[in-house]
Amino acid sequence: MRRLIAFPCAGETLAGTLDEAPGTTGLLIVSGGNEIRIGAHRGMALLAQRVAEAGYPVFRFDRRGIGDSTGANGGFESSAEDIAAAVRAFRQEAPHLTRILAYGNCDAATALALFHGAAGIDVLLLANPWIVEDEDGLPSPAAIRARYASRVRDPREWLRLLRGQVNLRKLVKGLSKASKIDSQVSSLAARVAAAFAEARVPITLLIAEQDNTAVAFLHAYRAPAFDAVRSRIPVEKRVTASHSFASAEDKEWLFRQVLKSLA
């Protein structure tokens, strides 16, 4: 059975959805960006339904200022209280739970890495963590280099260039950023590295190999800041450019990864 739940958070009211199931391990889904709890193309709602049918309860919620929840939207950096409130509500509505696994994509993965401890989460499944702090609207240098490396191998891209179908101004801007040396991790990446090092719960990373956010994260993940944790955090990779694992095949892969972690 699927139930809608309202619960308090810092003087505001958050909206949540519980897919009930008898399992003692539950899945908490944290939405990334400004996405509502249903997910893009109902992706998170459908995932929740499948996981609940497999025997595991699932809780989704809108943080403050998003969807059906009241308050101001402060972005993922201000979501610590929202995540903690969702965990409390989940445990209250499903008192048979003994363990909670949290899944988040993009900046939701980053938020979970930073704030899971205070929320009392037991396991983390983090997809394509967001560690980029640039504000120029372009992907990271590592992501741009990866994209151009793929394009120069594609004859169709050369034809587009010869036919004048490429925005040269955008191309020059991209090449300029791609040439930058980004050997130093961002301050956000450094915070995530420190959070990984301090974590006392199992963490698994899910990576869409051709996604810009994932490429940027993997580039940072190879830096010395992550040396202390790299050997103990499994990384599961999927050859896809879909940030949200949107295709039917990607959805199936994500579902299997979630079930594996829940088990």
Side-chain angles (χ1 to χ4, degrees):
M1 180 181 294
R2 175 169 287 177
R3 290 197 284 126
L4 301 181
I5 296 165
F7 58 98
C9 173
E12 303 293 343
T13 301
L14 304 191
T17 302
L18 173 65
D19 286 74
E20 296 180 314
T24 57
T25 296
L27 173 65
L28 174 72
I29 297 178
V30 180
S31 296
N34 295 321
E35 193 172 88
I36 60 175
R37 65 189 186 276
I38 197 172
H41 309 290
R42 299 183 66 241
M44 293 302 97
L46 295 172
L47 175 64
Q49 179 181 337
R50 292 191 68 188
V51 171
E53 289 172 350
Y56 302 96
V58 185
F59 192 79
R60 297 171 285 123
F61 69 100
D62 294 334
R63 72 166 186 260
R64 283 170 290 176
I66 297 294
D68 297 319
S69 295
T70 66
N73 176 12
F76 78 95
E77 288 274 19
S78 68
S79 64
E81 289 182 287
D82 306 72
I83 294 170
V87 170
R88 289 193 297 271
F90 195 5
R91 291 191 185 278
Q92 180 177 329
E93 298 295 330
H96 59 290
L97 287 177
T98 60
R99 190 174 73 130
I100 290 179
L101 178 148
Y103 167 76
N105 191 2
C106 196
D107 62 25
T110 306
L112 284 170
L114 298 175
F115 308 135
H116 71 277
I121 291 168
D122 303 293
V123 186
L124 294 177
L125 189 60
L126 309 179
N128 308 319
W130 175 263
I131 50 86
V132 179
E133 293 181 307
D134 288 346
E135 297 180 354
D136 59 8
L138 292 174
S140 70
I144 294 174
R145 287 194 292 270
R147 179 187 296 177
Y148 286 157
S150 174
R151 287 184 173 180
V152 297
R153 293 191 295 267
D154 186 348
R156 291 172 299 182
E157 293 298 326
W158 287 101
L159 284 175
R160 289 183 66 239
L161 180 63
L162 292 172
R163 291 169 179 169
Q165 297 172 336
V166 174
N167 186 324
L168 294 179
R169 184 176 180 181
K170 186 176 179 180
L171 175 62
V172 170
K173 189 177 179 181
L175 288 171
S176 176
K177 184 165 185 180
S179 66
K180 291 182 179 179
I181 303 298
D182 53 352
S183 58
Q184 298 296 318
V185 299
S186 68
S187 61
L188 180 56
R191 289 169 60 202
V192 170
F196 283 177
E198 295 168 4
R200 297 294 179 264
V201 303
I203 300 172
T204 299
L205 295 170
L206 303 183
I207 299 296
E209 288 189 306
Q210 298 168 345
D211 167 61
N212 287 336
T213 300
V215 170
F217 173 78
L218 284 180
H219 180 78
Y221 197 58
R222 290 190 287 267
F226 289 91
D227 284 351
V229 300
R230 206 179 298 113
S231 63
R232 61 180 175 87
I233 297 181
V235 179
E236 301 290 345
K237 297 180 180 180
R238 172 78 178 168
V239 181
T240 179
S242 176
H243 181 66
S244 59
F245 305 104
S247 74
E249 294 80 8
D250 290 344
K251 283 186 173 72
E252 183 64 25
W253 179 84
L254 176 60
F255 173 64
R256 294 299 171 190
Q257 294 297 327
V258 170
L259 283 192
K260 184 169 70 173
S261 293
L262 285 167

